[in-house]
């Protein structure tokens, strides 16, 4: 809990809760696609935009973005894409958003800051981009490759004004599969707090594998989580996701795998002020009441 709550990570191991069992390791370019995207501002609050060179969107504008390559860390891929498309060096400040279409496509959107380099001009146009610019106006006034960057720009601006969470950056820990570690909490209005634990072996935060079948590669990452929760919790009230506490990845880990572990927090709403957590439907899980005040305060 200390590691996960602090934005760090923990060894994934080989034990997962709920079916189906994983069929094989995650390999970048073979059964998953990871994409990185960066939002950068300068000292004048101008945003860094790239003019696309790809035939299907040539001349349109977008944020620096591209696919991770085998052997790259997430942050190395982000820095490479920014350098190739804009000419600038950069440093990641925090993960802003995780976007996904199941295991088949996952995009990491970062807030970053420039640290050097020279802005690419039209004279330096290549297959990566035509040019880059610091844009002071409304990006929606430009011919954009896609409007999906507009919510990310709004998210970045709000984070700069008042960060809603501490800086969140990938932790260098190997993971064979794509999985989610769940911090499922229940707290009532009188201040009592419980955490859901899996009981196989040493008690631990439940770990759910995703992308275990072709159908799941196209489905959302939440589907295996919902299946596991359905098997251990009553349907009402349903747990709600609160956000991502952290993520773990190491390029070409055991067996050449490029898996990811996302540490995710969920909360079950109480039915009454002094309510106890809902009764569990499976002996594979149990509620653990948190009584240590500092830990309780950190979770709450």
């Amino acid at each position: 809990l200390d590691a996960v709550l602090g934005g760090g990570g923990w060894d994934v191991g080989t034990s997962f809760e709920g079916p189906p069992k994983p069929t094989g390791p995650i390999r970048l370019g073979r059964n998953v696609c990871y994409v990185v995207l960066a939002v950068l501002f300068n000292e004048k609050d101008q945003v860094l935009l790239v003019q696309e060179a790809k035939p299907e969107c040539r001349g349109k504008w977008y944020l620096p973005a591209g696919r991770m390559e085998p052997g790259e860390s997430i942050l190395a891929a982000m820095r490479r894409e920014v350098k190739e498309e804009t000419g600038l060096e950069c440093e990641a400040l925090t993960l802003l958003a995780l976007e996904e279409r199941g295991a088949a496509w996952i995009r990491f959107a970062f807030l970053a800051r420039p640290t050097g380099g020279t802005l690419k001009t039209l004279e330096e146009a290549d297959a990566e981009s035509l040019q880059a610019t610091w844009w002071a106006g409304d990006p929606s006034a430009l011919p954009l490759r896609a409007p999906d960057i507009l919510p990310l720009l709004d998210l970045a601006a709000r984070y700069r004004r008042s960060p809603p969470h501490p800086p969140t950056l990938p932790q260098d820990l190997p993971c064979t599969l794509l999985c989610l570690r769940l911090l499922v909490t229940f707290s009532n209005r009188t201040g009592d707090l419980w955490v859901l634990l899996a009981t196989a072996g040493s008690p631990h935060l439940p770990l759910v594998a995703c992308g275990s079948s072709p159908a799941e590669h196209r489905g959302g990452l939440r589907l295996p989580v919902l299946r596991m929760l359905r098997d251990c919790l009553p349907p009402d009230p349903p747990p709600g996701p609160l956000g991502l506490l952290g993520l773990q990845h190491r390029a070409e880990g055991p067996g050449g795998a490029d898996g990811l572990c996302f540490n995710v927090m969920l909360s079950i709403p109480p039915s009454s002020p002094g309510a106890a957590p809902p009764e569990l439907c499976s002996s594979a899980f149990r509620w653990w009441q948190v009584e240590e005040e500092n830990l309780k305060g950190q979770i709450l």
Side-chain angles (χ1 to χ4, degrees):
L1 273 170
D2 285 338
V4 170
L5 289 169
W10 197 257
D11 180 50
V12 170
T14 57
S15 177
F16 297 88
E17 277 65 55
K21 296 302 179 186
T23 55
I26 292 291
R27 288 197 168 90
L28 193 60
R30 185 180 303 178
N31 51 14
V32 293
C33 174
Y34 300 153
V35 178
V36 289
L37 176 146
V39 184
L40 288 89
F41 294 93
N42 63 11
E43 67 280 356
K44 299 177 182 178
D45 288 336
Q46 298 168 321
V47 66
L48 183 63
L49 295 178
V50 172
Q51 193 171 35
E52 296 282 1
K54 301 179 185 69
E56 64 272 18
C57 55
R58 188 177 179 85
K60 295 189 176 180
W61 294 88
Y62 206 64
L63 291 168
R67 294 187 180 192
M68 276 178 60
E69 297 176 356
E72 281 188 314
S73 71
I74 300 172
L75 294 182
M78 188 272 295
R79 291 191 297 266
R80 174 184 55 77
E81 286 292 344
V82 171
K83 178 67 174 177
E84 290 176 350
E85 296 190 353
T86 74
L88 299 184
E89 308 281 351
C90 74
E91 175 188 31
L93 299 176
T94 187
L95 183 71
L96 282 172
L98 171 71
E99 302 168 293
E100 52 96 2
R101 301 171 194 159
W105 188 91
I106 298 174
R107 184 164 76 173
F108 308 91
F110 288 93
L111 177 65
R113 69 178 186 90
T115 58
T118 305
L119 202 63
K120 180 185 280 190
T121 65
L122 276 173
E123 290 73 26
E124 299 166 303
D126 56 22
E128 299 295 337
S129 66
L130 298 179
Q131 63 175 325
T133 190
W134 291 108
W135 182 256
D138 182 358
S140 62
L142 291 170
L144 296 178
R145 169 182 155 186
D148 63 337
I149 63 171
L150 296 176
L152 295 175
L153 290 171
D154 180 61
L155 195 62
R158 285 189 281 124
Y159 188 94
R160 295 177 77 219
R161 288 195 301 269
S162 178
H165 59 82
T168 303
L169 295 172
Q171 301 299 303
D172 184 26
L173 285 167
C175 186
T176 304
L177 303 167
L178 182 64
C179 56
L180 290 91
R181 178 182 283 113
L182 306 179
L183 176 54
V184 182
T185 65
F186 178 89
S187 59
N188 58 30
R189 297 186 186 95
T190 57
D192 300 315
L193 173 70
W194 290 263
V195 169
L196 184 70
L197 298 181
T199 57
S202 299
H204 58 277
L205 297 178
L207 201 62
V208 181
C210 305
S212 303
S213 66
E216 284 190 5
H217 278 275
R218 296 182 296 275
L221 296 183
R222 69 177 186 166
L223 297 179
V225 175
L226 292 175
R227 182 170 54 235
M228 189 216 79
L229 295 174
R230 179 196 64 202
D231 292 342
C232 74
L233 288 169
D236 192 54
L242 297 180
L244 187 68
L245 292 168
L247 63 159
Q248 303 172 201
H249 173 264
R250 179 178 294 168
E252 296 185 337
D258 283 295
L260 287 160
C261 180
F262 300 111
N263 299 319
V264 180
M265 189 169 188
L266 303 95
S267 179
I268 300 173
S271 56
S272 62
E279 186 174 347
L280 298 172
C281 313
S282 169
S283 60
F285 302 90
R286 72 177 178 89
W287 288 109
W288 172 59
Q289 186 166 6
V290 182
E291 297 182 343
E292 200 276 309
E293 290 299 325
N294 287 337
L295 182 58
K296 183 193 295 187
Q298 194 176 2
I299 295 173
L300 290 173

